[in-house]
Amino acid sequence: MGLEATILYVDLTHARVWKETLDEATFRKYPGGSALAAYLLLKHIPRGADPLGPENVLVWAVGPLTGLPISGQSRLSVSARSPLTGAIGDSQSGGFFPAEMRAAGVEAIVFLGRAPEPVYLWLHDGEAELRPAGHLWGKVTGEVEAILKKELGDPKVQIAQIGPAGENLVRYAAIINMANRANGRTGMGAVMGSKNLKAVAVRGTNPPRPAMPREFAALARRFKELQERNPGIVEFGRLGTAGVVTSQNYQGGLPTRNYTSGVFEGAEAISGETLYTTYLKERDTCYACTVKCKRVVEIHSPEIEVDETYGGPEYETLATFGSYCGVSDLAALCKANELVNKYGLDSISCGATIAWAMEAAEKGLLDDEGIGLRFGNAQAMLKAIEMLAHREGRLGNLLAEGSLRAARSLGPEAEKLTVTVKGQELPAHMPQVKRSLGLIYAVNPFGADHQSSEHDTAYRSKPGTIFRQRLEALGITERMDGKDLSPAKVRAGYWTQVYYSALDTFGVCQFVWGSSWQLYGPNELVELVRYATGWDTSLWEIMKVGERRLNLLRAFNAREGIGREADRLPDRLFEPLKGGPSDGVALDRAEIERALDLYYGMAGWDPSTGLPTRARLEELDLGWVADLAGL
Amino acid sequence: MGLEATILYVDLTHARVWKETLDEATFRKYPGGSALAAYLLLKHIPRGADPLGPENVLVWAVGPLTGLPISGQSRLSVSARSPLTGAIGDSQSGGFFPAEMRAAGVEAIVFLGRAPEPVYLWLHDGEAELRPAGHLWGKVTGEVEAILKKELGDPKVQIAQIGPAGENLVRYAAIINMANRANGRTGMGAVMGSKNLKAVAVRGTNPPRPAMPREFAALARRFKELQERNPGIVEFGRLGTAGVVTSQNYQGGLPTRNYTSGVFEGAEAISGETLYTTYLKERDTCYACTVKCKRVVEIHSPEIEVDETYGGPEYETLATFGSYCGVSDLAALCKANELVNKYGLDSISCGATIAWAMEAAEKGLLDDEGIGLRFGNAQAMLKAIEMLAHREGRLGNLLAEGSLRAARSLGPEAEKLTVTVKGQELPAHMPQVKRSLGLIYAVNPFGADHQSSEHDTAYRSKPGTIFRQRLEALGITERMDGKDLSPAKVRAGYWTQVYYSALDTFGVCQFVWGSSWQLYGPNELVELVRYATGWDTSLWEIMKVGERRLNLLRAFNAREGIGREADRLPDRLFEPLKGGPSDGVALDRAEIERALDLYYGMAGWDPSTGLPTRARLEELDLGWVADLAGL
């Protein structure tokens, strides 16, 4: 008896649930999270499935580290074919739900078909049942949290659900747990909505145990010391991701007014420091994590009420509703955060779509139905969220489609203003000042994403910094001072993308394990996986897991005819930025094409098509995927 | 001050020596041994250099682990363009010389040009000088050992040298240290001879220290326990590599009568067990190694005298002069071992060339000048060694060219009997019963080699065996029971080739670190490198080092126009074997071609040419090599 995975199948059409066991050898190849989800998707979704039709399959997955008593492990992957991009969808969230799901004895849930009426899934200690959710339909996330906890008679129940946005098939609807953690990207909430699946409630009383308890305990003690000695992580805990508003703006990398500038005059007003000294009520955390980076804000004033149930804004939320939209009213941004969590929306795509709409309206390309969609208008921004979440009016319906679909219905002038890759709106890290991100935004299988590789700031870091140490363990030993997209940066981009791909597979938090604060690094991950699973693993095997996931996602897309031509950055990135340290800076098309050629070759993909080769897939034990995708 | 490498340059033409420092960052990319040698070769050899001309460059290299007090680290790489294959040459040896060279303060020696008269290099504690060697020329290795130790006045001097075979430019001449350890393969001794370089004598009193002494000491203690708990390594120490004669024969994999059969009726007579109970005088070892796998034999009888100075036969020597030649006279094989070490010859190419000549003579395709070259004739075998080492007569001159060149001078019928890849004779592990070896023999940049990957016996091993554990750490978790060359075996072949490539770079012994007995495994190597160097390394970085070396070698060949067409297995492997468990077994051409296609793709090389792509080279920070080789 080794470390097997339990897969819960839920046939929504026929209201049947059953479990299957994934043997340890297969689990080790697809060890949880995004890789396990992609494995199950490829096994179950037919080619050409309508993302919002019953043939689409929705997979939720945790991994072999989830629920262990250590920081940064309680993460949930949700995948399906994306209604936003048509490519594979992929999203991650934290909270207490993931650990609770594992304690309930399930590593993955596969939702098939479509329920005839709204339902929710109640999973408790290995038992699963579908229950009617008619009484929950139309309700916001906070209400549903309260109703279900009462209905199930246990305040420790964890709930992940869609809000009205998911029910209304907003193409970037999110899945929300704890009413304030989002599987935000690629519209997984709309897929849930299309299946009449309102929520999943879980309760588990059997937390997992590490395979090597003594070594695990010693590692946990070492981790505690590492954390205490790391001033960066303390500061990160104090300010949360919001802490980077200031530094992004300082380097000219805070996307402003729909990505036309990298500096925002209102940056200080919406900074993590300002948030800390104004509306922050308390810090929040995920299961067993001592970093406490999550925000909780509360506002009660004559002008505005913000409910603490919905947490507080992350950096991305502050930027997309703030600088993207030219809005410097921090209270309004807190409100926007409340709304996206209440209605179940991806804050990045939502804010970015509104920013696009503001520019289009200013240019007379879009009818704002009188709500005053203009850069800087906080009230219009909030009104737009309400409208799109409920698909209210022509404008609400238009924005609910995401910026690219909306723009295409308006014509080429409007489309030129969109800032998406594969139809997914760009996050708030600018490729113009972090060149390797341009490459990764372009090639990432599920559209532009800032949490799929390390950022250039790390590559430029000085010897002795924690960035350097973490990169060193990956074998990236050279410093890359230049602002260009050199071959070395392509390599670093690819290798860190592979590492981040492994992080999203083992289901560990990038703020603890990968990104800027890097509490722990690659070699610590090797140890954690070894002690958690008992596998005599190595960073080579873990990186191969990361490559396996990337190739699974890419092969999924290949089967749908999505290849290199979809790895295209938006025109806006090639237009010079205005103002500040990045004034006049633009990406260079020839540089990007050269980087793409190199990247595909490094990844073992055919540079002419951008598709994985059979040999590469065989190297990763994915011969079956080559057959499936016709590669 | 980090861990730099000291490169000693020796311009033989102008009798100049000087030292250069390789900075730590570069050293970390090419950390010693074969990778460092290939790096230096590519920097210094012009395209199209005559292997036996002054433009060829000869590099000797050790690594950052060499000379540390731990088993299996005292290894020397010697590389140059090979006079046997025309491709890159590469060879490894053990002994005390490598550790002594590092204690003398030098990580690599680059020999340039050609001395007008015979010279030897005297390197002592960082001081280097060229000295006349006229008095040594023509002398056998044992004599030169004695003369130089006396001349230099220090019995602790370590000497690596060529014998008469190297002086006579026998194309598979070896470099011999301690008079019984050989850098055998690819004719590096002939390159030394062509440069009028008779010997290198070293003495160093400053042994290296690990960067992390406390961790290193703890690791050494753990290693001691591992060794004591490992019955396989004890047995390996008892019988040496000779121990596998019996098991190879049992599985029908003991190459017999020029590779026409996999079973030898005289196997027991030439086995490690028989050697142990007859002529074995004592066991010998390399610097700081407690395994003691080396043999020392001594025979004094009316019929035959074998001098203990020249050690004792390895498995390869027993097979190539024994079963290859149909010779079951163990004393004669001990004598053959004496002769190859005395004259400085690669025992594999020498024995295999004689075996080829026996078959050609039996078939009337070769004039044996009356010495009776027939399978089973031990005296003719010994006579042939004498003749070829001294290029005596037409026959000696013919055999000194290696089997492929010799055969080509005799015509296509004779060539059909050769068993070489790229002109290098196959070692005594049969691809017919270890299919993945066929692939690796074909693609290995310096010709057929059995120490460039794991063998199929490991892939077929059961759970719980040490093979399985070591493969598991490399991420090879599936068992491959089949006797075919499946995609899984291609992957395992490639990954273990990469690992072995790293072993030959860090300069650690495959019998301790990699091959059948596997005392330590990949994860132990990560720790050793970390504590020895202070680098926060990982198995990912170490495997990338392995890939970097493979790509350097391959790019060297590419510059000389050597690509896929040279990755060709000899016809003999496609003819059915005769007798025993492998009766009727032959390789399948279509299977090999499919495996090659997959392999090149996995390696990131163009399947149509077999050459590294620029993208792959850039991934390994080898953009400069792509420029140099026109890739």
Coordinates of all heavy atoms in Angstrom, one line a residue, chain B residues 390-422:
Chain B
H390 N 54.2 -2.9 -31.7 CA 55.4 -2.5 -32.3 C 55.3 -2.2 -33.8 O 56.3 -2.0 -34.4 CB 56.5 -3.5 -32.0 CG 56.8 -3.7 -30.5 ND1 56.2 -4.7 -29.7 CD2 57.5 -2.9 -29.6 CE1 56.6 -4.6 -28.5 NE2 57.3 -3.5 -28.4
R391 N 54.1 -2.3 -34.3 CA 53.8 -2.2 -35.7 C 54.8 -3.1 -36.5 O 55.4 -2.7 -37.5 CB 53.9 -0.8 -36.2 CG 52.7 0.1 -35.8 CD 52.7 1.5 -36.4 NE 51.5 2.3 -36.1 CZ 50.4 2.3 -36.9 NH1 50.4 1.6 -38.0 NH2 49.4 3.0 -36.6
E392 N 54.9 -4.3 -36.0 CA 55.8 -5.3 -36.6 C 55.2 -5.9 -37.8 O 54.1 -6.5 -37.7 CB 56.1 -6.3 -35.5 CG 57.2 -7.3 -35.8 CD 57.3 -8.4 -34.7 OE1 57.1 -8.1 -33.5 OE2 57.4 -9.6 -35.1
G393 N 55.9 -5.8 -38.9 CA 55.4 -6.4 -40.2 C 54.2 -5.8 -40.7 O 53.6 -4.9 -40.1
R394 N 53.7 -6.4 -41.8 CA 52.5 -5.9 -42.4 C 51.3 -6.1 -41.5 O 50.4 -5.3 -41.3 CB 52.2 -6.6 -43.8 CG 51.6 -5.7 -44.8 CD 51.3 -6.5 -46.1 NE 50.4 -7.6 -45.8 CZ 49.1 -7.5 -45.6 NH1 48.5 -6.4 -45.7 NH2 48.4 -8.6 -45.3
L395 N 51.3 -7.3 -40.8 CA 50.2 -7.7 -39.9 C 50.1 -6.7 -38.7 O 49.0 -6.2 -38.4 CB 50.3 -9.1 -39.5 CG 49.2 -9.6 -38.6 CD1 47.8 -9.6 -39.3 CD2 49.5 -11.0 -38.0
G396 N 51.3 -6.5 -38.1 CA 51.3 -5.6 -37.0 C 50.8 -4.2 -37.4 O 50.0 -3.6 -36.6
N397 N 51.3 -3.7 -38.5 CA 50.8 -2.4 -39.0 C 49.3 -2.3 -39.3 O 48.7 -1.4 -39.0 CB 51.6 -2.0 -40.2 CG 52.8 -1.1 -39.9 OD1 52.5 0.0 -39.4 ND2 54.0 -1.5 -40.2
L398 N 48.9 -3.5 -39.8 CA 47.4 -3.5 -40.2 C 46.6 -3.4 -38.9 O 45.7 -2.6 -38.8 CB 47.2 -4.8 -40.9 CG 45.8 -5.0 -41.5 CD1 45.6 -4.2 -42.8 CD2 45.5 -6.5 -41.8
L399 N 46.9 -4.3 -37.9 CA 46.1 -4.4 -36.7 C 46.2 -3.1 -35.9 O 45.3 -2.7 -35.1 CB 46.5 -5.6 -35.9 CG 46.3 -6.9 -36.6 CD1 46.7 -8.1 -35.6 CD2 44.9 -7.1 -37.1
A400 N 47.4 -2.4 -36.0 CA 47.6 -1.1 -35.2 C 46.6 0.0 -35.7 O 46.4 1.0 -35.0 CB 49.0 -0.7 -35.4
E401 N 46.0 -0.2 -36.8 CA 45.1 0.8 -37.4 C 43.7 0.6 -36.8 O 42.8 1.4 -37.1 CB 45.0 0.7 -38.9 CG 46.3 1.1 -39.6 CD 46.6 2.6 -39.4 OE1 45.9 3.4 -39.9 OE2 47.6 2.9 -38.6
G402 N 43.4 -0.5 -36.0 CA 42.1 -0.8 -35.6 C 41.3 -1.6 -36.6 O 41.7 -1.6 -37.8
S403 N 40.3 -2.3 -36.2 CA 39.6 -3.2 -37.1 C 39.0 -2.6 -38.3 O 39.0 -3.1 -39.4 CB 38.6 -4.1 -36.3 OG 37.7 -3.2 -35.7
L404 N 38.4 -1.4 -38.1 CA 37.6 -0.8 -39.3 C 38.6 -0.4 -40.4 O 38.4 -0.7 -41.6 CB 36.8 0.3 -38.8 CG 35.8 0.9 -39.9 CD1 34.8 -0.2 -40.4 CD2 35.1 2.1 -39.5
R405 N 39.6 0.4 -40.0 CA 40.6 0.8 -41.0 C 41.3 -0.4 -41.7 O 41.5 -0.5 -42.9 CB 41.7 1.7 -40.4 CG 41.3 3.1 -40.4 CD 42.5 4.0 -40.0 NE 42.2 5.4 -40.0 CZ 41.5 6.0 -39.0 NH1 41.0 5.2 -38.0 NH2 41.2 7.3 -39.1
A406 N 41.6 -1.4 -40.8 CA 42.3 -2.6 -41.3 C 41.4 -3.3 -42.3 O 41.8 -3.7 -43.5 CB 42.6 -3.5 -40.2
A407 N 40.1 -3.5 -42.0 CA 39.2 -4.2 -42.8 C 39.0 -3.5 -44.1 O 38.9 -4.1 -45.2 CB 37.9 -4.4 -42.1
R408 N 38.9 -2.2 -44.0 CA 38.6 -1.4 -45.3 C 39.8 -1.6 -46.3 O 39.5 -1.5 -47.5 CB 38.4 0.1 -45.0 CG 37.0 0.3 -44.4 CD 36.6 1.7 -44.2 NE 35.2 1.8 -43.8 CZ 34.7 2.8 -43.1 NH1 35.4 3.9 -42.7 NH2 33.4 2.8 -42.8
S409 N 41.0 -1.8 -45.7 CA 42.1 -2.0 -46.7 C 42.0 -3.4 -47.3 O 42.7 -3.7 -48.3 CB 43.4 -1.8 -45.9 OG 43.7 -2.9 -45.1
L410 N 41.2 -4.2 -46.7 CA 41.1 -5.6 -47.2 C 39.8 -5.8 -48.1 O 39.7 -6.9 -48.8 CB 41.0 -6.6 -46.1 CG 42.3 -6.6 -45.1 CD1 42.1 -7.6 -44.0 CD2 43.6 -6.9 -45.9
G411 N 38.9 -4.9 -48.0 CA 37.7 -5.1 -48.9 C 36.4 -5.2 -48.1 O 36.4 -5.5 -46.9
P412 N 35.3 -5.2 -48.8 CA 34.0 -5.2 -48.1 C 33.6 -6.4 -47.4 O 33.0 -6.4 -46.3 CB 33.0 -5.0 -49.3 CG 33.8 -5.1 -50.6 CD 35.2 -4.9 -50.2
E413 N 34.1 -7.6 -47.8 CA 33.9 -8.8 -47.1 C 34.5 -8.7 -45.7 O 33.8 -9.2 -44.7 CB 34.4 -10.0 -47.8 CG 33.6 -10.4 -49.1 CD 32.1 -10.6 -48.7 OE1 31.8 -11.5 -47.9 OE2 31.3 -9.9 -49.3
A414 N 35.7 -8.2 -45.6 CA 36.4 -8.1 -44.3 C 35.7 -7.0 -43.5 O 35.5 -7.2 -42.2 CB 37.8 -7.7 -44.5
E415 N 35.2 -6.0 -44.1 CA 34.5 -4.9 -43.4 C 33.2 -5.4 -42.8 O 32.8 -5.0 -41.7 CB 34.3 -3.7 -44.3 CG 33.7 -2.5 -43.5 CD 33.6 -1.2 -44.3 OE1 34.2 -1.2 -45.4 OE2 32.9 -0.3 -43.9
K416 N 32.5 -6.3 -43.4 CA 31.3 -6.8 -42.9 C 31.5 -7.5 -41.6 O 30.5 -7.8 -40.8 CB 30.6 -7.8 -43.9 CG 29.8 -7.2 -44.9 CD 29.0 -8.2 -45.8 CE 27.8 -8.7 -45.1 NZ 26.6 -7.8 -45.1
L417 N 32.7 -7.9 -41.3 CA 33.0 -8.7 -40.0 C 33.3 -7.7 -38.9 O 33.5 -8.2 -37.7 CB 34.1 -9.7 -40.2 CG 34.0 -10.6 -41.5 CD1 35.3 -11.5 -41.5 CD2 32.7 -11.4 -41.4
T418 N 33.5 -6.4 -39.2 CA 33.9 -5.5 -38.1 C 32.7 -5.2 -37.2 O 31.6 -5.3 -37.6 CB 34.4 -4.2 -38.6 OG1 33.4 -3.6 -39.4 CG2 35.6 -4.4 -39.5
V419 N 33.0 -5.0 -35.9 CA 32.0 -4.7 -34.9 C 32.4 -3.4 -34.2 O 32.9 -3.4 -33.1 CB 31.9 -5.9 -33.9 CG1 30.6 -5.7 -33.0 CG2 31.9 -7.2 -34.6
T420 N 32.1 -2.3 -34.9 CA 32.5 -1.0 -34.4 C 31.4 0.0 -34.5 O 30.5 -0.2 -35.4 CB 33.7 -0.4 -35.1 OG1 33.3 0.1 -36.4 CG2 34.9 -1.4 -35.2
V421 N 31.4 1.1 -33.8 CA 30.6 2.3 -34.1 C 31.5 3.5 -34.2 O 32.3 3.7 -33.3 CB 29.5 2.5 -33.0 CG1 28.8 3.8 -33.3 CG2 28.5 1.4 -32.9
K422 N 31.4 4.2 -35.3 CA 32.3 5.3 -35.5 C 33.8 4.8 -35.6 O 34.7 5.6 -35.3 CB 32.2 6.4 -34.5 CG 30.8 7.1 -34.5 CD 30.7 8.2 -33.5 CE 29.3 8.9 -33.5 NZ 28.3 8.0 -32.9

